Amino acid sequence: MSERPQIRLATPSDADDLAALWIEFGRYYAERDAAWYRVPEEEGLSDWFRDALARDREDDDVIWLVADEGGRVVGSIQARIWRPFPDAERQLVREVGEVVLKVDSLVVTQLERRRGVGRELMSAIEDWAVKRGASQAVVISVADSPTSVPFYESGMGYRRKTIGFWKELPNDS
């Protein structure tokens, strides 16, 4: 990577690159845990991204950025603002009364990982969120991810705060 990628809003013209990036990321995680992850179906994936980009533009509290290096998308981040609950004063958890940045996905091509692209995308999203009144940020990740856990904890200064539990339920069909 010779120069830093440009961080900009994603556009429908990025759909093909986003689809390829999504497939690459799916393969990466499916190789690590095929019971939990899969490679998305390629057919129609670019159209799915184009449609999603059109929908997300309708909500001021949703943002989708890409890292563009010479006209090629090498990273993507999607995030949203969670607004305070209407009954926040009755809730036990303080965060439901605050504006919170929720990072939905961060994806960087394998060739660009560990070169600062993810950090630049996260910093851009955090700056956007602060301007929208956010006082906190949340990222939900797989607890044993060999890439995302060190990135968020050591690289971005996030800390573990909650834990989720999953259980497969019997299928009656």
Side-chain angles (χ1 to χ4, degrees):
M1 186 167 82
S2 55
E3 61 183 64
R4 303 305 314 150
Q6 174 193 6
I7 306 301
R8 61 169 175 77
L9 286 171
T11 66
S13 65
D14 297 319
D16 292 341
D17 284 348
L18 290 168
L21 186 57
W22 203 242
I23 293 289
E24 178 187 322
F25 218 60
R27 283 191 183 113
Y28 173 82
Y29 274 104
E31 287 173 6
R32 279 146 188 78
D33 186 354
W36 187 256
Y37 296 99
R38 65 184 180 140
V39 179
E41 185 175 317
E42 250 179 282
E43 186 176 334
L45 191 57
S46 291
D47 291 333
W48 181 74
F49 275 104
R50 265 187 280 287
D51 291 346
L53 282 162
R55 276 192 314 276
D56 285 349
R57 295 225 183 266
E58 298 167 4
D59 187 340
D60 290 338
D61 280 344
V62 175
I63 191 167
W64 195 337
L65 300 178
V66 295
D68 180 318
E69 187 176 87
R72 184 176 67 91
V73 172
V74 296
S76 168
I77 191 165
Q78 293 175 274
R80 67 190 62 247
I81 296 294
W82 282 345
R83 296 287 171 189
F85 285 23
D87 61 351
E89 71 281 355
R90 304 216 184 282
Q91 300 295 325
L92 296 174
V93 181
R94 289 184 187 272
E95 289 84 14
V96 300
E98 299 179 22
V99 179
V100 177
L101 166 66
K102 163 63 170 71
V103 178
D104 293 325
S105 71
L106 171 63
V107 186
V108 176
T109 63
Q110 187 164 351
L111 291 174
E112 300 302 325
R113 287 184 206 144
R114 298 186 189 350
R115 295 184 177 186
V117 174
R119 181 183 315 277
E120 288 185 40
L121 286 164
M122 284 294 295
S123 294
I125 287 292
E126 289 173 356
D127 291 346
W128 170 81
V130 167
K131 289 175 185 159
R132 300 192 60 68
S135 59
Q136 296 190 47
V138 62
V139 176
I140 298 171
S141 181
V142 176
D144 61 354
S145 170
T147 53
S148 65
V149 172
F151 171 75
Y152 289 116
E153 287 183 338
S154 300
M156 294 303 301
Y158 283 68
R159 65 183 174 90
R160 295 179 198 207
K161 193 169 182 181
T162 60
I163 187 170
F165 297 94
W166 292 84
K167 176 183 177 181
E168 299 250 348
L169 299 176
N171 187 345
D172 289 339
S173 53

